Amino acid sequence: MRSCKVHHLLSAIAALACAVPAVPSAAGEPWTEREVAEHVDQARYTGVLERALLDELVARGEQLFTAKFTLGDGAGRPEATLAILPTKRKRTATKRFQRIAGLDANACSSCHNDPVPGGAGDFPVNVFVSEGFTFEDLDSTDQQFSNERNTNHLMGSGLVELLAREMTAELQTQRRQAIEKARASGETVEVALTTKGVDFGRLTAHADGTVGLDGVDGVDADLVIRPFSQKGVMTSLRQFTINALNQHHGMEASERFGPRWTDEADFDGDGVTQEITAGDVSAMVAWQASRPPPLQQVPDDAGWRQAAARGDTLFDSYGCASCHMRALPLESLRFTDPGPYDTAGTLSTAEVDDAAVYDLALLDWHGGLKRNDDGAWLVPLFGDLKRHKMVDLQVSALGNELLSQRFVERDVFQTAELWGIGSTAPYGHRGDMTTLDEVIRAHGGDARQARDRYVDAADADRSALIAFLKTLVIEQ
């Protein structure tokens, strides 16, 4: 009788296994000590993906995001640096792991983990941003050699990149139309650069086709919105992923470090080729792009609810929403990968025959997004995807970096999106501020007036604003 029951149980399990689409394992046998035994087939995931295929790709991406890469996978870069542009070391590294130039993490989730995988990181997992360490004996945490940064969360990041793409397209259209008008009229044309309610200054187009950029504000001269990193210098999740894999793990993506751009199959000299394929990167992008956005949580405590409601109103009256805009409208939830604005070393839409399209409307969380009267999705990121000066002579705590990054001045940072801030202490780009009160008081420069209104407010009102911010959380 017992063997009969076991037989029926095994039959039921086998039937269930056949009914559920199989997700290929990222790792082989445990004793191989490899996390990436089988690479993702890019050709399998093209065109508009149906829900089942999207779920499969996202699952592979999660496996790779949480994988603790090993020597067998290609972890380590003894002959290469962390630089975004493939760069050889001046001498072979003697240390595989070190906190400064890396390797400094085993898995992506080693740092992006609070309160869930894809979340933020505490101070101990800060990274050191440099254009590339080349002399190991000079690698240092000293501010003159690198900028120390806290780990941002990735929740809702697919929506953020989609917003950036639409904003870029609108800004570049405004530039093109101004140039066409100036040429046709023979006169200088000045145009206000505004998209989704965010003001990026003014651009001047001359009749000879040249463009004056002195009035452009908060965005690069090419008018590409780069929504990732504290400085707003990363164009896409794909670029961010390729950069981070090399910097933190020594895992080189073939699309940048392979023969096409370096003429070498093993650029980092660790004896492993094809460490991360284009399909692997696509899977990791799909997982990150599909992360549910943070939400506003109604507190159970009646006193907290009352204080948060008061703080919600004060947020606007202090002027916080002028930069931390409550929501930006998004026309489409279709995420194309590779995307349209990446440059050499990161695949772009123009470089592939059939890009994949992930319709985020297929994901259950999309139902929580509101829509405006025009039918656009409202993305409640509490940000504007614009760079601002955050330091002045009196308030300069956020100006502790000595190195510029990608030609962005030291005292200029992109507006931090506040969605999820109730779950992602500590604060500040270095993660060295323990309270929201502290980081608000550190706002200078463009945010000085809003900061002063907060500082001058009554204790109860400041407390109410904090109560409101604490309702913006990452769901666990």
Side-chain angles (χ1 to χ4, degrees), residues 288-302:
Q288 292 170 84
S290 68
R291 293 306 83 212
L295 46 79
Q296 185 170 1
Q297 190 175 72
V298 178
D300 294 330
D301 181 81

Side-chain angles (χ1 to χ4, degrees), residues 146-377:
S146 64
N147 296 323
E148 186 177 0
R149 301 275 178 78
N150 196 226
T151 303
N152 289 335
H153 75 76
L154 298 169
M155 310 308 287
S157 57
L159 297 172
V160 172
E161 184 168 341
L162 287 176
L163 283 170
R165 292 180 186 182
E166 290 186 0
M167 294 168 79
T168 296
E170 187 168 4
L171 291 176
Q172 292 188 348
T173 295
Q174 292 168 2
R175 178 184 61 192
R176 175 179 52 79
Q177 291 175 343
I179 293 172
E180 292 173 350
K181 184 176 180 180
R183 282 175 171 166
S185 66
E187 298 177 352
T188 296
V189 173
E190 189 176 80
V191 59
L193 296 171
T194 304
T195 174
K196 299 188 185 299
V198 183
D199 178 9
F200 289 95
R202 305 186 71 81
L203 177 146
T204 304
H206 302 288
D208 61 0
T210 60
V211 176
L213 301 171
D214 290 346
V216 176
D217 181 39
V219 64
D220 287 331
D222 60 2
L223 304 184
V224 174
I225 302 295
R226 295 180 164 86
F228 301 115
S229 87
Q230 285 93 336
K231 286 285 194 178
V233 295
M234 299 298 170
T235 306
S236 66
L237 287 171
R238 194 171 192 96
Q239 182 194 32
F240 164 75
T241 299
I242 293 171
N243 295 350
L245 283 168
N246 175 58
Q247 175 173 349
H248 303 305
H249 315 300
M251 295 291 291
E252 278 72 37
S254 299
E255 65 192 74
R256 180 176 302 168
F257 296 90
R260 179 185 180 190
W261 295 109
T262 67
D263 291 324
E264 295 185 43
D266 181 20
F267 181 78
D268 62 348
D270 62 1
V272 181
T273 62
Q274 290 287 315
E275 297 176 7
I276 293 288
T277 65
D280 297 334
V281 176
S282 295
M284 297 180 76
V285 168
W287 184 78
Q288 292 170 84
S290 68
R291 293 306 83 212
L295 46 79
Q296 185 170 1
Q297 190 175 72
V298 178
D300 294 330
D301 181 81
W304 189 353
R305 287 198 304 272
Q306 183 177 6
R310 170 68 176 155
D312 193 342
T313 301
L314 293 171
F315 185 82
D316 293 329
S317 65
Y318 290 162
C320 305
S322 62
C323 296
H324 297 287
M325 297 175 67
R326 290 175 175 270
L328 298 182
L330 180 64
E331 300 298 326
S332 173
L333 291 179
R334 290 198 165 193
F335 187 100
T336 301
D337 183 53
Y341 297 112
D342 278 308
T343 54
T346 304
L347 283 180
S348 67
T349 307
E351 294 181 277
V352 297
D353 293 331
D354 192 6
V357 179
Y358 317 139
D359 188 354
L360 302 186
L362 295 175
L363 304 177
D364 296 340
W365 54 255
H366 97 279
L369 296 176
K370 297 179 181 179
R371 305 183 82 162
N372 64 16
D373 293 340
D374 297 324
W377 306 94

Side-chain angles (χ1 to χ4, degrees), residues 91 108 191 198 294 355 441:
R91 58 173 68 101
C108 302
V191 59
V198 183
R441 290 175 182 271

